[in-house]
Amino acid sequence: MTTDERHSSRVAFDVNGGRRELTLDNRTTLLDALRERLGLIGAKKGCDHGQCGSCTVLLDGRRVKSCLVFAVTLDGRSVVSVEGLGGPDELSPLQAAFVAHDAFQCGYCTPGQLCSARGMLDEVTRGWPSAVTDDLTAPAELTDAEIRERMAGNLCRCAAYPHIVAAIQETAATR
Amino acid sequence: MRPFRYHRPADVAEAVAVLADEPQAAYLAGGTNLVDLMKLGVQRPDLLVDVNRLPLDAVEELPGGGLRIGATVRNSDLAAHPAVRRDYPVLARALLAAASGQLRNLATTGGNLLQRTRCVYFQDTGKACNKREPGSGCAARHGQNRDLAVLDWSDLCVATHPSDLAVALAALDAVVEVHEPAGPRDVPLAALHRSPGEHPERETTLARGALITAVRLPHLPAARRSAYLKVRDRASFAFAVGSVAAVLDLDGDVVRDVRLAYGAVAHRPWRAYRAEEELRGRAFSPQLAARAADAELAEARPLRHNGFKVPLTRAITVRALTELAERTPAP
Ligand SMILES: Cc1cc2nc3c(=O)[nH]c(=O)nc-3n(C[C@H](O)[C@H](O)[C@H](O)COP(=O)(O)OP(=O)(O)OC[C@H]3O[C@@H](n4cnc5c(N)ncnc54)[C@H](O)[C@@H]3O)c2cc1C
Ligand code: SF4
Ligand code: FES
Ligand code: FES
């Protein structure tokens, strides 16, 4: 659908360390802006309704579902997508652990799993509790049950879950 | 999706003034509910007023006890706040049991309270729904209604309110601070949401264009012994099939004070005043808790597919209170 200029906006935000400026129809989600306007096709559209996690990116360092964020709201903010975690020649430790542990089959959910795990590990470092943390006032310990609960927002249709947990566990242990 | 204009107001007064002038405008906070419903065509605002950069993102400890939680404080930040974890565990637990990590990083206090029902017919613009389109009928009343209300529904609407946060806040006697076109006012959380009655399209007691600015928690030392118990169809990342928020204050084994609220049973978070009456002043036992739940649920009217919610809610009442009674109180 075409829209007039009242329905579009000029937005400038950081993507993977570089400043990007776009004129966007206000209806454009961050996910669509990344994929269709910036050619960053790592983040995937699984459900487009916040239910699967395949679109997860980091917004100002925090994991979010990019299908539920209108890009017009992001002026001046900073986004890191899976491409910003590390490329084929310089994998981050988390990405290398996913490869080493065979933490995917088709790979569709993987960019979202990686960004989510990245954000989740930072949450643990900050001492955030989860629904399975026994003592809300003590620092969280990263058990497998904690990883499963904290990664519940990322579905994997190939059910690579045990390997995803192992890859994250190893990354956490060697940090 | 309908095209919309976008506006970032400079302050609360401007936000409220813009909405007062624009009948089809909506506030945008975390967007986790509104963006979803706009994609589905259920909500069709022509202007979004973005409240995310208003200075409403602080959690303040109040002199004399209590907390003021800004409307745009994210659900994840609130759950991780030391004062919430220490003094209001029921609140931290309700937040942590909701949605997913990525969603909690976006979802706000105000937006969470005003999220719309998850009734699947409401979300499907091809179905009759009095809430979405007054007068069109209710496809859920005789449809698939397993997830819907057992208390206080009307023939026009049997939807439930989906928020876990709201249930905890109902138990804590929270107060919602709002700015309406006529000025600021305080609304007790328990009086924020309406019963469906003749007007299921009216979900709250707020004036149109009201902006939630904060939620206040009273000083409530008893809340250190509190819990949120949520039952869902899978272990994580699902809405409640039943839930209970409970605060229990015992003097020996006698119930000095108790606060109970239920989720997933009605059009609003359900404060269980009648059950509290039954419990107060009596020696606690699981049997007493069961009798109290029965008193509260006596007026339940299950629908065709959700009769299980009555014994479920009774069972989680007993379990939550019994576990609290067995827990040694924090010093
Ligand atoms: C997959 C999925 C699973 C979920 N699971 C759960 C769950 O288990 N438990 C649970 O409780 N919730 C769950 N949620 C819902 C989630 O908690 C809500 O969507 C969220 O809290 C809404 O907050 P928001 O800031 O994103 O609101 P928005 O989507 O921005 O807004 C919601 C509504 O509130 C209005 N609004 C927002 N802020 C204000 C304000 N300050 N004043 C006045 N009006 C305002 C908006 O206009 C809109 O109508 C889930 C959501 C998804 C997508
Ligand atoms: S229960 Fe309420 S929300 Fe659901 S279809 Fe009926 S009127 Fe609509
Ligand atoms: S595409 Fe965003 S959560 Fe599924
Ligand atoms: S690897 Fe196929 S969906 Fe996860």
Side-chain angles (χ1 to χ4, degrees), chain A residues 80-162:
Chain A
V80 172
S81 63
V82 71
E83 291 89 345
L85 294 185
D89 304 324
E90 11 122 55
L91 293 180
S92 64
L94 181 67
Q95 288 165 311
F98 265 62
V99 175
H101 286 272
D102 218 1
F104 43 82
Q105 290 180 42
C106 76
Y108 197 83
C109 71
T110 312
Q113 301 279 2
L114 287 165
C115 288
S116 186
R118 171 79 273 138
M120 182 275 277
L121 289 169
D122 293 342
E123 292 166 7
V124 173
T125 304
R126 266 177 269 149
W128 287 12
S130 86
V132 301
T133 309
D134 276 338
D135 182 352
L136 281 179
T137 56
E141 236 182 279
L142 201 60
T143 59
D144 284 3
E146 283 279 2
I147 292 177
R148 287 176 179 278
E149 164 58 26
R150 288 167 192 264
M151 294 294 292
N154 293 82
L155 306 191
C156 175
R157 270 324 279 271
C158 303
Y161 300 114

Side-chain angles (χ1 to χ4, degrees), chain B residues 67-194:
Chain B
L67 283 185
R68 176 186 276 110
I69 303 156
T72 62
V73 171
R74 308 291 148 176
N75 290 177
S76 54
D77 291 316
L78 187 57
H81 194 281
V84 173
R85 288 154 71 174
R86 185 188 62 228
D87 297 337
Y88 305 96
V90 60
L91 177 54
R93 291 289 179 197
L95 289 162
L96 293 171
S100 71
Q102 298 100 311
L103 291 165
R104 294 193 292 270
N105 275 337
L106 290 168
T108 63
T109 310
N112 190 310
L113 295 179
L114 297 185
Q115 64 175 300
R116 314 294 303 276
T117 182
R118 304 304 288 199
C119 172
V120 293
Y121 302 101
F122 171 76
Q123 296 179 334
D124 180 347
T125 55
K127 297 291 193 302
C129 170
N130 290 321
K131 184 183 285 303
R132 181 168 27 75
E133 211 182 309
S136 65
C138 169
R141 177 75 180 82
H142 300 288
Q144 291 297 324
N145 45 40
R146 171 186 184 269
D147 294 333
L148 302 180
V150 294
L151 286 165
D152 196 38
W153 49 265
S154 74
D155 282 331
L156 296 188
C157 179
V158 294
T160 55
H161 195 266
S163 166
D164 291 299
L165 168 65
V167 178
L169 293 180
L172 291 171
D173 284 314
V175 172
V176 182
E177 299 181 7
V178 302
H179 263 73
E180 296 186 325
R185 123 181 131 93
D186 282 354
V187 183
L189 193 283
L192 179 66
H193 299 93
R194 292 179 73 256

Side-chain angles (χ1 to χ4, degrees), chain A residues 1-3 6-9 26-27 29 48-53 56 59 62-65 67-70 72-77 112 116 123 126-138 149-150 152-155, chain B residues 1-6 8 28 30-40 46 48 50 52-53 74 76-77 79-80 82 84-86 88-90 92-93 96-97 99-106 118 232 234-237:
Chain A
M1 197 193 287
T2 55
T3 53
R6 295 181 313 146
H7 299 127
S8 52
S9 309
N26 291 342
R27 293 171 293 184
T29 60
D48 215 20
H49 289 282
Q51 298 173 359
C52 75
T56 304
L59 176 56
R62 294 157 58 114
R63 56 180 172 156
V64 300
K65 290 179 172 170
C67 69
L68 293 182
V69 176
F70 284 130
V72 59
T73 62
L74 298 180
D75 209 52
R77 302 188 63 185
S116 186
E123 292 166 7
R126 266 177 269 149
W128 287 12
S130 86
V132 301
T133 309
D134 276 338
D135 182 352
L136 281 179
T137 56
E149 164 58 26
R150 288 167 192 264
N154 293 82
L155 306 191
Chain B
M1 193 189 301
R2 180 183 186 184
F4 60 86
R5 291 163 292 139
Y6 173 78
R8 208 178 283 148
L28 173 70
T32 59
N33 191 228
L34 183 57
V35 176
D36 195 4
L37 291 174
M38 286 170 69
K39 289 182 182 187
L40 293 168
D46 66 358
L48 289 187
D50 183 351
N52 284 290
R53 300 191 196 203
R74 308 291 148 176
S76 54
D77 291 316
V84 173
R85 288 154 71 174
R86 185 188 62 228
Y88 305 96
V90 60
R93 291 289 179 197
L96 293 171
S100 71
Q102 298 100 311
L103 291 165
R104 294 193 292 270
N105 275 337
L106 290 168
R118 304 304 288 199
R232 31 190 168 173
R234 56 182 184 195
S236 187
F237 195 22

